[in-house]
Amino acid sequence: MKKAFTMIELIFVIVILGILAAVALPKFLSVSQQAHEGNLKAFVGTLNRTVGPTLWSKSISAGKNGDIAYLDIESNLSDFVDLPKEVNSSDINLSACNDTTNYKIVMTADKNVAGYDYFIACRDGNANKSPVFVLYKLASGTVTLGDNNTTDVEDTNLTDSYSGGESGTLLK
């Protein structure tokens, strides 16, 4: 008598593998998107913890009362931080970060790399506070650098609107 798998056993194995693949495949497909979003969140965290305070300190030393908009660093932001591949290096406008009350859009992410449209907004610093950067996932509209928020970013609502018609979900 030969020892081999019967046809029914092979069919059961194939069915079980098919079920496992159907369950696992969607999870693996979203891992890439989560990684890109994680890179952007980490970048914004670096801007808030390292780059923002450094630029703010330079502004205070130069007698500009914490205003980072006067610094011409768009072209050399990479001197302060490594830009992630998700950020459009051509779509950086930190000079738009010139309002201590409203957040203004200062950077965008490359949709072809990140998978979705993201944008980074900034509220400028003053003599007592360094600038603050926030990350949004675009919900509707087309992102325009320099547009400012028209809803309260600090409230509990995670969807905010901007003056160019953009709305985005705040990612924390």
Side-chain angles (χ1 to χ4, degrees), residues 111-134:
K111 183 178 183 176
N112 295 327
V113 176
Y116 287 103
D117 284 319
Y118 295 91
F119 62 92
I120 298 170
C122 172
R123 184 182 67 211
D124 200 6
N126 57 32
N128 300 318
K129 293 170 86 174
S130 66
V132 178
F133 296 88
V134 291

Side-chain angles (χ1 to χ4, degrees), residues 79-155:
D79 290 349
F80 297 94
V81 64
D82 290 332
L83 294 176
K85 63 183 178 183
E86 292 85 3
V87 172
N88 281 331
S89 58
S90 61
D91 280 348
I92 299 174
N93 183 8
L94 289 180
S95 60
C97 185
N98 58 4
D99 192 333
T100 59
T101 309
N102 293 313
Y103 285 84
K104 291 201 171 182
I105 299 172
V106 294
M107 292 179 222
T108 62
D110 184 353
K111 183 178 183 176
N112 295 327
V113 176
Y116 287 103
D117 284 319
Y118 295 91
F119 62 92
I120 298 170
C122 172
R123 184 182 67 211
D124 200 6
N126 57 32
N128 300 318
K129 293 170 86 174
S130 66
V132 178
F133 296 88
V134 291
L135 174 66
Y136 285 95
K137 186 176 189 178
L138 186 68
S140 67
T142 302
V143 177
T144 304
L145 294 177
D147 285 350
N148 63 292
N149 63 303
T150 57
T151 56
D152 186 8
V153 173
E154 307 297 329
D155 66 6

